[in-house]
Amino acid sequence: MPIDGRWDASLTNNGPAVPFRLDIAGSGPTLKGTFYDGSKPYEETTSASYRDGVLVLKSEHYLTTITATLKNGAFTGDVALRGPGYRLNYGFEATRHVDVSEKSVNVPSIAGTWELPLDSPSAKGEKSFHLVVRQNGADAEASILRIDGDNGAYSGTYKDGKWILSHFDGSRPGVIEIAARRDGTLEVVQHNEALKKALAGENPEAKAAEDKAPQYGSTEAYAGDKLIAYRPDVARAKGFPEPDNFDTHTTVRSASEKFSFNFPDENGKLVSSDDPRFKGKVVLAIVTGTWCPNCHDEARFLVELDKKYRDKGLAIVALDFEEPEEQDKLARERAFIKEYGVKYTYLTAGAPSEMWEKVPQAVNLNTWPATIFVGRDGLVKGVHSGFASQASGEFNSQLQQEFTAKIEKLLAENAAAQTASVAEPTLGQK
Protein backbone atom coordinates (compact mmCIF):
# COMPACT_ATOMS: atom_id res chain seq x y z
CA MET A 1 0.00 0.00 0.00
CA PRO A 2 1.18 3.58 -0.62
CA ILE A 3 2.61 5.26 2.46
CA ASP A 4 2.82 8.85 1.24
CA GLY A 5 0.85 11.47 3.14
CA ARG A 6 0.62 12.89 6.63
CA TRP A 7 1.16 10.67 9.67
CA ASP A 8 0.53 11.28 13.35
CA ALA A 9 3.71 9.88 14.86
CA SER A 10 4.98 9.67 18.41
CA LEU A 11 8.05 8.66 20.37
CA THR A 12 7.49 6.45 23.39
CA ASN A 13 9.66 5.43 26.36
CA ASN A 14 10.22 9.10 27.19
CA GLY A 15 7.81 9.39 30.11
CA PRO A 16 4.83 10.95 28.34
CA ALA A 17 4.68 10.16 24.62
CA VAL A 18 6.11 12.78 22.26
CA PRO A 19 3.60 13.31 19.43
CA PHE A 20 4.88 14.91 16.22
CA ARG A 21 3.91 15.41 12.61
CA LEU A 22 5.66 13.30 9.97
CA ASP A 23 4.99 13.77 6.26
CA ILE A 24 6.09 11.04 3.84
CA ALA A 25 6.36 11.78 0.13
CA GLY A 26 7.64 10.07 -3.00
CA SER A 27 8.63 6.47 -3.56
CA GLY A 28 11.76 4.52 -4.37
CA PRO A 29 14.75 6.86 -4.76
CA THR A 30 12.54 9.96 -4.25
CA LEU A 31 11.12 8.80 -0.90
CA LYS A 32 11.62 11.30 1.93
CA GLY A 33 10.26 12.23 5.30
CA THR A 34 9.60 15.78 6.53
CA PHE A 35 9.63 16.88 10.16
CA TYR A 36 7.95 20.02 11.47
CA ASP A 37 8.96 22.81 13.79
CA GLY A 38 5.57 23.77 15.15
CA SER A 39 3.35 24.34 12.13
CA LYS A 40 6.22 24.79 9.66
CA PRO A 41 8.10 22.09 7.70
CA TYR A 42 11.68 22.29 8.95
CA GLU A 43 13.84 19.21 8.39
CA GLU A 44 13.92 16.56 5.67
CA THR A 45 15.48 13.13 5.87
CA THR A 46 18.79 12.69 4.09
CA SER A 47 17.87 9.17 2.95
CA ALA A 48 14.78 6.95 3.07
CA SER A 49 13.68 3.49 1.97
CA TYR A 50 10.56 1.36 2.13
CA ARG A 51 10.88 -2.32 1.29
CA ASP A 52 8.75 -5.33 2.28
CA GLY A 53 6.76 -3.24 4.74
CA VAL A 54 9.84 -1.83 6.52
CA LEU A 55 10.40 1.94 6.55
CA VAL A 56 13.85 3.38 7.25
CA LEU A 57 14.24 7.16 7.57
CA LYS A 58 17.67 8.66 8.22
CA SER A 59 18.69 12.18 9.20
CA GLU A 60 22.42 11.71 8.83
CA HIS A 61 23.15 15.33 9.74
CA TYR A 62 21.75 14.44 13.20
CA LEU A 63 22.75 10.74 13.23
CA THR A 64 19.06 9.86 13.73
CA THR A 65 17.44 6.71 12.30
CA ILE A 66 13.77 5.66 12.35
CA THR A 67 13.07 2.00 11.57
CA ALA A 68 9.43 0.88 11.53
CA THR A 69 7.23 -1.91 10.17
CA LEU A 70 3.78 -1.34 8.68
CA LYS A 71 1.06 -3.64 10.01
CA ASN A 72 -2.70 -3.16 9.88
CA GLY A 73 -2.23 0.37 8.54
CA ALA A 74 0.06 1.56 11.35
CA PHE A 75 3.82 1.79 11.80
CA THR A 76 5.63 0.53 14.88
CA GLY A 77 9.36 0.46 15.47
CA ASP A 78 12.12 2.46 17.10
CA VAL A 79 14.12 5.66 16.81
CA ALA A 80 17.86 5.79 17.51
CA LEU A 81 19.36 9.17 18.44
CA ARG A 82 22.97 10.06 19.13
CA GLY A 83 24.30 12.98 21.09
CA PRO A 84 27.68 14.01 22.52
CA GLY A 85 28.54 11.13 24.83
CA TYR A 86 25.17 9.40 24.81
CA ARG A 87 22.74 7.35 22.73
CA LEU A 88 18.95 7.30 23.05
CA ASN A 89 16.46 4.71 21.87
CA TYR A 90 12.76 5.48 21.66
CA GLY A 91 9.78 3.44 20.60
CA PHE A 92 8.05 4.73 17.46
CA GLU A 93 4.37 4.66 16.46
CA ALA A 94 2.55 6.31 13.55
CA THR A 95 -0.99 6.24 12.21
CA ARG A 96 -2.63 8.05 9.30
CA HIS A 97 -3.64 11.59 10.17
CA VAL A 98 -7.36 12.24 10.46
CA ASP A 99 -8.66 15.79 10.81
CA VAL A 100 -10.62 16.16 14.03
CA SER A 101 -12.71 19.21 14.77
CA GLU A 102 -12.66 19.98 18.47
CA LYS A 103 -14.10 23.09 20.06
CA SER A 104 -12.55 24.38 23.24
CA VAL A 105 -14.32 27.04 25.26
CA ASN A 106 -12.87 29.52 27.73
CA VAL A 107 -9.33 29.14 26.43
CA PRO A 108 -6.96 31.48 28.34
CA SER A 109 -4.84 33.94 26.39
CA ILE A 110 -1.13 33.17 26.93
CA ALA A 111 0.51 34.53 23.77
CA GLY A 112 3.61 36.70 24.01
CA THR A 113 6.92 36.79 25.83
CA TRP A 114 7.41 35.51 29.36
CA GLU A 115 10.33 34.94 31.73
CA LEU A 116 11.12 31.79 33.71
CA PRO A 117 13.15 32.59 36.87
CA LEU A 118 15.25 29.64 38.04
CA ASP A 119 15.46 28.42 41.61
CA SER A 120 19.22 28.07 41.20
CA PRO A 121 21.60 29.20 38.43
CA SER A 122 21.99 27.00 35.38
CA ALA A 123 25.26 25.28 34.53
CA LYS A 124 26.06 28.37 32.44
CA GLY A 125 25.23 30.81 35.22
CA GLU A 126 21.79 31.80 33.92
CA LYS A 127 19.20 32.90 36.46
CA SER A 128 16.24 33.08 34.10
CA PHE A 129 15.07 31.83 30.69
CA HIS A 130 12.73 33.34 28.10
CA LEU A 131 9.45 31.66 27.17
CA VAL A 132 7.92 32.63 23.81
CA VAL A 133 4.31 31.64 23.08
CA ARG A 134 2.25 31.98 19.90
CA GLN A 135 -1.45 31.20 20.07
CA ASN A 136 -4.37 30.76 17.69
CA GLY A 137 -7.43 29.99 19.76
CA ALA A 138 -6.95 26.60 21.37
CA ASP A 139 -3.76 25.91 19.37
CA ALA A 140 -0.43 27.11 20.68
CA GLU A 141 3.30 26.93 20.00
CA ALA A 142 5.89 27.63 22.68
CA SER A 143 9.66 27.68 22.97
CA ILE A 144 12.02 28.06 25.90
CA LEU A 145 15.00 30.25 24.98
CA ARG A 146 18.23 29.84 26.95
CA ILE A 147 21.60 31.48 26.40
CA ASP A 148 22.47 28.59 24.01
CA GLY A 149 19.30 28.95 21.98
CA ASP A 150 15.81 27.49 22.03
CA ASN A 151 14.39 23.98 22.10
CA GLY A 152 12.37 24.36 18.91
CA ALA A 153 8.64 25.07 18.58
CA TYR A 154 6.58 22.80 20.82
CA SER A 155 3.01 22.68 19.49
CA GLY A 156 -0.35 21.33 20.59
CA THR A 157 -3.91 22.07 21.67
CA TYR A 158 -5.63 23.18 24.86
CA LYS A 159 -7.40 20.34 26.62
CA ASP A 160 -8.54 19.66 30.18
CA GLY A 161 -7.29 23.00 31.45
CA LYS A 162 -3.79 22.97 29.97
CA TRP A 163 -1.72 22.78 26.81
CA ILE A 164 0.25 19.64 26.07
CA LEU A 165 2.86 20.80 23.55
CA SER A 166 5.41 18.52 21.88
CA HIS A 167 8.30 18.66 19.44
CA PHE A 168 10.53 16.39 17.35
CA ASP A 169 12.35 17.55 14.21
CA GLY A 170 14.79 14.67 14.01
CA SER A 171 16.42 15.89 17.23
CA ARG A 172 15.57 17.46 20.66
CA PRO A 173 12.35 15.50 21.36
CA GLY A 174 10.25 16.58 24.31
CA VAL A 175 6.94 17.65 25.81
CA ILE A 176 5.96 20.84 27.62
CA GLU A 177 2.85 21.25 29.75
CA ILE A 178 1.57 24.81 30.22
CA ALA A 179 -1.28 25.80 32.51
CA ALA A 180 -2.55 29.35 33.13
CA ARG A 181 -2.84 30.25 36.82
CA ARG A 182 -5.36 32.62 38.40
CA ASP A 183 -2.66 35.14 39.36
CA GLY A 184 -1.74 35.72 35.70
CA THR A 185 1.35 33.49 35.71
CA LEU A 186 1.92 30.22 33.88
CA GLU A 187 2.97 26.87 35.28
CA VAL A 188 5.44 25.21 32.92
CA VAL A 189 6.61 21.60 33.17
CA GLN A 190 9.13 20.07 30.74
CA HIS A 191 9.34 16.35 30.04
CA ASN A 192 12.35 14.63 28.56
CA GLU A 193 12.92 11.76 30.92
CA ALA A 194 14.92 9.70 28.42
CA LEU A 195 17.45 12.48 27.84
CA LYS A 196 17.77 13.21 31.54
CA LYS A 197 18.51 9.54 32.24
CA ALA A 198 21.12 9.51 29.49
CA LEU A 199 22.84 12.63 30.76
CA ALA A 200 22.75 11.25 34.30
CA GLY A 201 24.49 8.09 33.13
CA GLU A 202 21.58 5.75 33.91
CA ASN A 203 21.86 4.46 30.37
CA PRO A 204 25.04 2.31 30.40
CA GLU A 205 25.96 3.54 26.93
CA ALA A 206 25.77 7.13 28.19
CA LYS A 207 27.74 6.80 31.41
CA ALA A 208 30.58 8.89 30.02
CA ALA A 209 28.25 11.86 29.60
CA GLU A 210 27.61 12.29 33.33
CA ASP A 211 30.47 14.69 34.01
CA LYS A 212 30.45 16.28 30.56
CA ALA A 213 26.81 17.32 30.22
CA PRO A 214 27.20 21.00 31.25
CA GLN A 215 29.77 21.72 28.56
CA TYR A 216 27.48 20.46 25.80
CA GLY A 217 24.31 22.36 26.60
CA SER A 218 21.74 23.28 29.22
CA THR A 219 20.33 20.21 30.95
CA GLU A 220 18.03 21.98 33.40
CA ALA A 221 14.32 21.19 33.75
CA TYR A 222 14.41 18.28 31.35
CA ALA A 223 12.12 15.98 33.28
CA GLY A 224 9.26 17.04 35.49
CA ASP A 225 10.78 20.23 36.92
CA LYS A 226 8.15 22.91 37.43
CA LEU A 227 8.84 26.54 36.53
CA ILE A 228 6.62 29.60 36.86
CA ALA A 229 6.45 32.09 33.97
CA TYR A 230 5.96 35.82 34.55
CA ARG A 231 5.44 38.69 32.16
CA PRO A 232 8.70 40.70 31.99
CA ASP A 233 7.26 43.77 33.75
CA VAL A 234 5.92 41.59 36.57
CA ALA A 235 9.26 39.80 36.85
CA ARG A 236 11.03 43.19 37.19
CA ALA A 237 8.53 44.38 39.80
CA LYS A 238 9.12 41.23 41.83
CA GLY A 239 12.88 41.66 41.60
CA PHE A 240 13.61 38.56 39.54
CA PRO A 241 16.84 38.68 37.51
CA GLU A 242 16.63 39.09 33.73
CA PRO A 243 17.73 36.36 31.32
CA ASP A 244 21.38 36.67 30.29
CA ASN A 245 22.32 39.13 27.54
CA PHE A 246 23.34 37.28 24.37
CA ASP A 247 25.91 39.98 23.48
CA THR A 248 27.69 40.22 26.85
CA HIS A 249 27.58 36.64 28.18
CA THR A 250 30.89 35.83 26.44
CA THR A 251 33.69 38.39 26.07
CA VAL A 252 37.39 38.34 25.06
CA ARG A 253 40.42 38.61 27.30
CA SER A 254 41.86 41.54 25.35
CA ALA A 255 40.24 43.81 22.79
CA SER A 256 43.69 44.54 21.35
CA GLU A 257 44.52 40.86 20.71
CA LYS A 258 43.99 39.58 17.17
CA PHE A 259 41.72 36.58 16.87
CA SER A 260 43.69 33.62 15.54
CA PHE A 261 43.04 29.97 14.64
CA ASN A 262 44.79 27.15 12.82
CA PHE A 263 42.75 23.97 12.25
CA PRO A 264 42.38 21.29 9.55
CA ASP A 265 39.59 21.31 6.98
CA GLU A 266 37.61 18.16 6.11
CA ASN A 267 40.50 16.97 3.94
CA GLY A 268 43.07 17.41 6.71
CA LYS A 269 44.70 20.56 5.30
CA LEU A 270 45.57 23.15 7.94
CA VAL A 271 43.88 26.51 7.45
CA SER A 272 44.75 29.50 9.61
CA SER A 273 43.45 33.00 10.20
CA ASP A 274 46.38 34.19 8.04
CA ASP A 275 44.98 32.38 5.01
CA PRO A 276 44.30 34.71 2.04
CA ARG A 277 40.59 33.90 2.24
CA PHE A 278 40.44 35.75 5.59
CA LYS A 279 43.12 38.44 5.31
CA GLY A 280 41.59 41.91 5.20
CA LYS A 281 38.05 40.50 5.49
CA VAL A 282 35.30 40.92 8.06
CA VAL A 283 35.18 37.44 9.61
CA LEU A 284 32.45 35.58 11.45
CA ALA A 285 34.12 32.77 13.42
CA ILE A 286 31.50 30.28 14.61
CA VAL A 287 32.21 28.01 17.58
CA THR A 288 29.93 25.12 16.67
CA GLY A 289 29.27 21.37 16.66
CA THR A 290 27.07 19.38 14.31
CA TRP A 291 25.66 17.44 17.30
CA CYS A 292 24.15 20.73 18.51
CA PRO A 293 20.57 21.45 17.28
CA ASN A 294 20.95 25.21 17.80
CA CYS A 295 24.00 25.08 15.53
CA HIS A 296 21.81 23.51 12.85
CA ASP A 297 19.40 26.41 13.31
CA GLU A 298 22.19 28.95 12.88
CA ALA A 299 23.68 27.25 9.80
CA ARG A 300 20.57 28.10 7.75
CA PHE A 301 21.03 31.78 8.53
CA LEU A 302 24.79 31.72 8.00
CA VAL A 303 24.32 30.25 4.52
CA GLU A 304 22.10 33.23 3.64
CA LEU A 305 24.59 35.72 5.11
CA ASP A 306 27.38 34.08 3.12
CA LYS A 307 25.43 34.41 -0.12
CA LYS A 308 24.60 38.05 0.56
CA TYR A 309 27.94 39.39 1.81
CA ARG A 310 30.66 37.06 0.53
CA ASP A 311 31.44 39.31 -2.46
CA LYS A 312 31.31 42.41 -0.23
CA GLY A 313 34.15 41.35 2.06
CA LEU A 314 32.64 38.88 4.56
CA ALA A 315 34.24 35.52 5.29
CA ILE A 316 32.59 32.93 7.54
CA VAL A 317 34.55 30.13 9.20
CA ALA A 318 33.09 27.34 11.34
CA LEU A 319 35.34 26.11 14.15
CA ASP A 320 33.67 22.73 14.49
CA PHE A 321 34.02 20.65 17.66
CA GLU A 322 33.09 17.00 17.12
CA GLU A 323 33.17 14.04 19.48
CA PRO A 324 36.40 11.97 19.15
CA GLU A 325 34.51 9.06 17.56
CA GLU A 326 33.24 11.40 14.83
CA GLN A 327 36.56 12.94 13.90
CA ASP A 328 37.95 10.13 11.74
CA LYS A 329 35.28 9.95 9.05
CA LEU A 330 33.42 13.20 9.83
CA ALA A 331 30.23 11.52 8.54
CA ARG A 332 27.86 13.85 10.36
CA GLU A 333 29.87 16.97 9.52
CA ARG A 334 29.86 16.05 5.82
CA ALA A 335 26.11 15.33 5.92
CA PHE A 336 25.55 18.65 7.72
CA ILE A 337 27.47 20.60 5.08
CA LYS A 338 25.57 18.88 2.27
CA GLU A 339 22.14 19.23 3.90
CA TYR A 340 22.36 22.99 4.41
CA GLY A 341 24.38 23.81 1.30
CA VAL A 342 27.30 25.26 3.30
CA LYS A 343 29.83 27.04 1.08
CA TYR A 344 31.79 28.82 3.79
CA THR A 345 34.91 27.32 5.39
CA TYR A 346 34.45 24.39 7.77
CA LEU A 347 37.36 23.47 10.04
CA THR A 348 37.54 20.63 12.58
CA ALA A 349 38.83 22.30 15.73
CA GLY A 350 38.77 19.32 18.10
CA ALA A 351 36.48 17.66 20.64
CA PRO A 352 33.87 19.67 22.59
CA SER A 353 35.88 19.20 25.79
CA GLU A 354 38.78 21.03 24.11
CA MET A 355 36.81 24.18 23.30
CA TRP A 356 38.42 26.37 25.97
CA GLU A 357 41.93 25.19 25.04
CA LYS A 358 41.40 25.71 21.31
CA VAL A 359 39.65 29.11 21.61
CA PRO A 360 41.56 30.65 24.54
CA GLN A 361 40.84 34.27 23.66
CA ALA A 362 37.17 33.98 24.62
CA VAL A 363 36.13 34.48 28.25
CA ASN A 364 33.10 32.56 29.63
CA LEU A 365 32.77 30.69 26.36
CA ASN A 366 30.22 27.97 27.16
CA THR A 367 27.46 28.14 24.57
CA TRP A 368 26.82 26.19 21.40
CA PRO A 369 26.99 28.05 19.10
CA ALA A 370 28.95 31.24 19.77
CA THR A 371 29.48 33.77 16.96
CA ILE A 372 32.64 35.90 17.06
CA PHE A 373 32.63 39.09 14.96
CA VAL A 374 36.13 40.00 13.73
CA GLY A 375 37.02 43.20 11.88
CA ARG A 376 39.39 43.50 8.93
CA ASP A 377 42.09 44.45 11.43
CA GLY A 378 41.77 41.00 13.01
CA LEU A 379 40.37 42.32 16.30
CA VAL A 380 37.21 40.98 17.92
CA LYS A 381 34.34 43.45 17.72
CA GLY A 382 31.77 41.39 19.60
CA VAL A 383 30.59 37.91 20.57
CA HIS A 384 27.00 36.66 20.33
CA SER A 385 26.14 33.64 22.48
CA GLY A 386 23.73 31.00 21.21
CA PHE A 387 21.20 31.26 18.41
CA ALA A 388 17.49 32.01 18.71
CA SER A 389 15.71 30.14 15.89
CA GLN A 390 12.41 30.93 14.16
CA ALA A 391 10.70 29.22 17.11
CA SER A 392 11.75 32.20 19.26
CA GLY A 393 9.74 34.69 17.20
CA GLU A 394 10.78 38.27 17.91
CA PHE A 395 14.16 37.16 19.29
CA ASN A 396 15.00 35.54 15.95
CA SER A 397 13.90 38.66 14.06
CA GLN A 398 15.95 40.87 16.36
CA LEU A 399 19.00 38.59 16.00
CA GLN A 400 18.82 38.71 12.21
CA GLN A 401 18.56 42.49 12.24
CA GLU A 402 21.47 42.85 14.69
CA PHE A 403 23.75 40.43 12.80
CA THR A 404 23.04 42.20 9.53
CA ALA A 405 23.61 45.64 11.07
CA LYS A 406 26.91 44.57 12.67
CA ILE A 407 28.20 43.05 9.46
CA GLU A 408 27.24 46.06 7.34
CA LYS A 409 28.74 48.45 9.88
CA LEU A 410 32.05 46.55 9.96
CA LEU A 411 32.16 46.33 6.18
CA ALA A 412 31.43 50.06 5.83
CA GLU A 413 33.86 51.16 8.55
CA ASN A 414 36.72 49.13 7.20
CA ALA A 415 36.02 50.13 3.61
CA ALA A 416 36.08 53.80 4.64
CA ALA A 417 39.35 53.32 6.52
CA GLN A 418 40.97 51.63 3.53
CA THR A 419 39.77 54.40 1.20
CA ALA A 420 41.17 57.06 3.55
CA SER A 421 44.48 55.21 3.73
CA VAL A 422 44.78 55.09 -0.05
CA ALA A 423 43.80 58.73 -0.47
CA GLU A 424 46.25 60.04 2.17
CA PRO A 425 49.40 61.53 0.58
CA THR A 426 52.61 59.66 1.29
CA LEU A 427 55.70 61.37 2.73
CA GLY A 428 57.19 63.81 0.25
CA GLN A 429 54.03 64.14 -1.84
CA LYS A 430 52.28 67.45 -2.34
Side-chain angles (χ1 to χ4, degrees):
M1 61 173 287
I3 61 170
D4 58 308
R6 177 176 174 180
W7 293 79
D8 292 331
S10 64
L11 303 182
T12 58
N13 305 334
N14 176 68
V18 182
F20 64 97
R21 176 174 175 174
L22 173 63
D23 289 0
I24 299 176
S27 61
T30 66
L31 185 70
K32 68 176 181 180
T34 301
F35 301 101
Y36 279 68
D37 188 45
S39 59
K40 299 178 180 179
Y42 199 60
E43 292 279 5
E44 292 185 353
T45 55
T46 54
S47 66
S49 65
Y50 180 63
R51 300 184 185 92
D52 301 323
V54 178
L55 175 69
V56 179
L57 302 175
K58 292 188 176 182
S59 296
E60 292 157 306
H61 55 308
Y62 277 124
L63 296 182
T64 296
T65 302
I66 297 175
T67 306
T69 301
L70 184 65
K71 185 177 181 180
N72 298 326
F75 280 108
T76 58
D78 60 68
V79 179
L81 294 173
R82 282 183 57 184
Y86 65 85
R87 299 169 186 262
L88 296 177
N89 291 289
Y90 294 90
F92 173 82
E93 300 173 353
T95 57
R96 287 282 186 183
H97 174 75
V98 177
D99 287 325
V100 178
S101 179
E102 293 185 2
K103 292 185 178 180
S104 297
V105 295
N106 300 321
V107 179
S109 176
I110 64 169
T113 300
W114 303 75
E115 292 182 9
L116 294 165
L118 306 179
D119 293 334
S120 58
S122 74
K124 301 179 186 302
E126 301 160 275
K127 297 179 180 179
S128 183
F129 298 149
H130 295 285
L131 172 69
V132 182
V133 182
R134 293 183 292 278
Q135 183 179 2
N136 181 15
D139 298 325
E141 296 181 7
S143 184
I144 294 176
L145 176 60
R146 313 172 313 272
I147 195 64
D148 277 295
D150 56 64
N151 51 12
Y154 284 59
S155 60
T157 302
Y158 185 76
K159 187 176 181 180
D160 298 329
K162 60 183 177 181
W163 282 269
I164 305 294
L165 310 178
S166 58
H167 173 87
F168 180 63
D169 61 1
S171 184
R172 52 187 170 191
V175 173
I176 299 177
E177 298 178 25
I178 298 181
R181 307 202 314 174
R182 291 182 179 180
D183 63 357
T185 62
L186 303 179
E187 182 178 286
V188 181
V189 180
Q190 289 191 84
H191 290 284
N192 206 325
E193 279 77 354
L195 180 56
K196 185 171 184 177
K197 287 180 180 179
L199 291 173
E202 294 180 30
N203 178 343
E205 294 178 321
K207 189 66 178 175
E210 185 172 7
D211 297 327
K212 298 179 181 179
Q215 74 190 32
Y216 293 124
S218 296
T219 61
E220 293 75 23
Y222 272 127
D225 293 343
K226 184 186 299 182
L227 298 174
I228 303 301
Y230 301 84
R231 294 293 188 184
D233 58 336
V234 176
R236 296 293 80 71
K238 289 183 173 292
F240 291 124
E242 296 184 46
D244 273 21
N245 187 307
F246 301 106
D247 292 321
T248 59
H249 179 83
T250 298
T251 56
V252 291
R253 62 191 180 191
S254 173
S256 60
E257 179 183 10
K258 288 192 175 184
F259 185 76
S260 61
F261 55 85
N262 186 28
F263 301 119
D265 63 15
E266 61 180 308
N267 298 314
K269 179 183 176 182
L270 282 173
V271 177
S272 79
S273 46
D274 291 327
D275 190 275
R277 75 188 80 177
F278 305 117
K279 293 294 287 184
K281 300 285 187 69
V282 172
V283 176
L284 292 192
I286 317 299
V287 177
T288 187
T290 60
W291 48 267
C292 155
N294 300 122
C295 301
H296 286 244
D297 293 333
E298 186 183 34
R300 294 172 168 85
F301 182 48
L302 294 175
V303 166
E304 295 305 312
L305 290 177
D306 185 44
K307 290 178 182 177
K308 184 175 181 180
Y309 294 108
R310 174 189 286 263
D311 294 337
K312 299 179 181 179
L314 176 70
I316 300 176
V317 56
L319 309 182
D320 185 28
F321 289 87
E322 298 292 322
E323 310 98 298
E325 62 269 24
E326 283 297 309
Q327 291 183 28
D328 288 339
K329 296 183 179 180
L330 296 175
R332 186 177 55 210
E333 181 187 287
R334 295 176 191 275
F336 179 102
I337 291 170
K338 180 180 178 181
E339 177 69 11
Y340 299 121
V342 173
K343 302 299 183 184
Y344 52 85
T345 303
Y346 235 83
L347 305 179
T348 305
S353 60
E354 299 175 308
M355 174 179 64
W356 301 284
E357 173 190 345
K358 297 298 183 69
V359 191
Q361 292 155 282
V363 177
N364 198 40
L365 176 63
N366 57 13
T367 67
W368 304 93
T371 303
I372 301 171
F373 292 79
V374 183
R376 291 189 205 263
D377 57 5
L379 302 180
V380 176
K381 309 301 181 180
V383 182
H384 185 95
S385 299
F387 186 82
S389 79
Q390 64 178 23
S392 293
E394 64 184 70
F395 291 96
N396 176 257
S397 300
Q398 181 178 347
L399 180 151
Q400 292 194 39
Q401 292 171 4
E402 291 180 353
F403 271 42
T404 299
K406 286 179 181 178
I407 290 168
E408 292 185 349
K409 181 180 179 181
L410 288 174
L411 290 172
E413 286 180 348
N414 287 297
Q418 287 185 337
T419 300
S421 177
V422 171
E424 185 177 339
T426 59
L427 186 63
Q429 288 184 327
K430 295 183 179 180

